[in-house]
Amino acid sequence: MDLAFLHPLYEHPGPWASVYVGTSRHTEDTPHERHLTAVALSRELSRQGADEDTCRAVREALEELRHSSEPHGRAVFARAGQVVLDPPLTRAPDGDSAHWAPLPHTTPLLELAGQDPVCVVAYVDRKGADFELRGALERRDAGSVTGRQWPVHRTSSADWSERHFQLRVENTWEHNAAEIADALAVCQEETRADLLVLVGEDREKRSVHDRLPKRLHDLVVEAPHGAGSRLLDEDVERARADHVRQRAERELERFLAAREPGDDGRAGAVEGVPALVEAAREHRIDELLIRPDGPDAHREVWIGEEPDQLAVRRTDLKILGEQNSWSARADDALIRSAVTTGAPALAVTAVPEREVPVGGLGALLRWK
């Protein structure tokens, strides 16, 4: 997950209110239920010590969602009486929650807003294709391509005089498949789509697939159901979920391989809070890996005013010359460091059978 959008959260000091609320439920009672949720979450923030102005700002932001048709939910981050960031969620949270802490509680975003592969669904036939861009929060037209319109159908005759016509049909199909493949490659480049889902008859899908640039072959999924099937949406969502799982598996394999020291005696990956704190202080985190359910995720660390001022013990910060310090969750402190150094982060709960990284926190390192 690219964390650049979180920069506004680290341009101001805390403490911070962090709220996650679901909006997937839609009934005639929903507006009243969401009003009660807004009141309850603002009260919970007050109970945890939040100031009145910030509680009011959060409550008003949540009240604005009473009639929202958003499919999943929203996160709200506020401080000093103002909402600073309120990104939509791409997955519904397990439950509504509110946190008041020195740092914004951003770790849930890795699962609820970060792993949203975008795909182009290509509805292919012999005459051309229509493209549709799909993500968790959007579904819109992404263009179309029209190939040669005649001849596109074979005849049933076996007469020798029809052979030339049949050959022209074959040439039309091949020409149109190449046109679709070229247009789809351009669409992928423009949209930066993670996946290309081909929908249509088997022969047309295969013809387009074969003519795509090799760099795109690993991104292609051929949907088993057609455009008129109610199961097509399930095909697309399954492809998106498989993409998330496979990416997590690849990054974990990289992590496991990088833990062993190289020829220079340096490891390319570390795990555990002490090693990660040291890497963050030295700006060496290249990619942060987090299992949100890992025991180290909520382990206490100590932070200063700057993102690279963090330590396992409070006395360590004083030794480093930092006079002001606060207790914070390890995962939130490491995400703050990652944001300010431009490192991405990835939730690896998509591979639950793997107990790595140990404790739930790890990182691939940069040494240059």
Side-chain angles (χ1 to χ4, degrees), residues 16-288:
W16 285 86
S18 306
V19 174
Y20 293 85
V21 62
T23 57
S24 57
R25 176 180 170 84
H26 302 284
T27 70
E28 61 181 20
D29 295 327
T30 293
H32 179 63
E33 292 173 352
R34 291 183 182 171
H35 164 71
L36 296 178
T37 296
V39 172
L41 290 173
S42 63
R43 285 178 177 170
E44 174 59 22
L45 288 172
S46 179
R47 187 191 68 78
Q48 294 180 32
D51 60 276
E52 183 178 343
D53 289 343
T54 299
C55 292
R56 183 186 304 110
V58 170
R59 185 174 66 250
E60 290 174 354
L62 296 179
E63 291 278 10
E64 292 177 2
L65 298 174
R66 283 193 302 165
H67 300 283
S68 172
S69 59
E70 292 184 12
H72 304 293
R74 190 170 284 269
V76 177
F77 300 97
R79 62 167 294 279
Q82 291 187 329
V83 172
V84 176
L85 195 66
D86 60 342
L89 304 179
T90 58
R91 283 179 50 192
D94 290 336
D96 302 329
S97 61
H99 310 266
W100 179 250
L103 290 178
H105 183 40
T106 52
T107 302
L109 290 175
L110 300 184
E111 292 186 296
L112 301 179
Q115 305 190 73
D116 178 25
V118 175
C119 65
V120 172
V121 181
Y123 299 92
V124 177
D125 62 30
R126 296 175 182 177
K127 296 182 178 181
D130 294 317
F131 303 146
E132 179 184 58
L133 191 68
R134 289 202 197 187
L137 298 174
E138 68 173 343
R139 182 171 175 171
R140 61 177 174 83
D141 177 77
S144 63
V145 57
T146 302
R148 294 174 181 170
Q149 301 301 294
W150 187 89
V152 294
H153 296 292
R154 295 185 178 191
T155 68
S156 58
S157 172
D159 189 275
W160 67 267
S161 64
E162 296 294 330
R163 292 177 183 171
H164 180 64
F165 180 81
Q166 304 286 26
L167 180 60
R168 291 181 64 189
V169 170
E170 292 288 343
N171 290 340
T172 299
W173 286 358
E174 291 178 5
H175 174 272
N176 289 354
E179 289 274 322
I180 294 168
D182 289 345
L184 186 54
V186 171
C187 184
Q188 187 278 333
E189 186 173 354
E190 292 177 345
T191 61
R192 302 180 66 84
D194 303 289
L195 289 168
L196 302 175
V197 180
L198 302 180
V199 180
E201 296 297 326
D202 289 343
R203 173 166 179 169
E204 282 74 33
K205 289 186 296 186
R206 177 51 49 186
S207 294
V208 172
H209 192 163
D210 290 345
R211 287 166 174 78
L212 284 167
K214 289 184 178 180
R215 65 180 177 83
L216 298 180
H217 282 191
D218 290 341
L219 307 185
V220 179
V221 175
E222 296 184 21
H225 299 96
S229 173
R230 61 183 177 83
L231 299 176
L232 177 59
D233 286 347
E234 294 181 12
D235 293 340
V236 174
E237 289 309 304
R238 186 179 302 109
R240 295 174 72 245
D242 287 346
H243 177 81
V244 171
R245 176 182 55 78
Q246 290 165 7
R247 179 169 180 242
E249 288 177 345
R250 288 195 300 270
E251 292 306 293
L252 281 176
E253 291 301 327
R254 283 184 61 209
F255 174 82
L256 288 170
R259 288 190 304 184
E260 298 300 322
D263 295 338
D264 59 0
R266 295 171 170 173
V270 294
E271 56 196 337
V273 172
L276 283 163
V277 164
E278 181 179 356
R281 282 204 301 259
E282 297 177 353
H283 300 183
R284 295 207 179 277
I285 293 179
D286 194 48
E287 182 179 41
L288 189 61

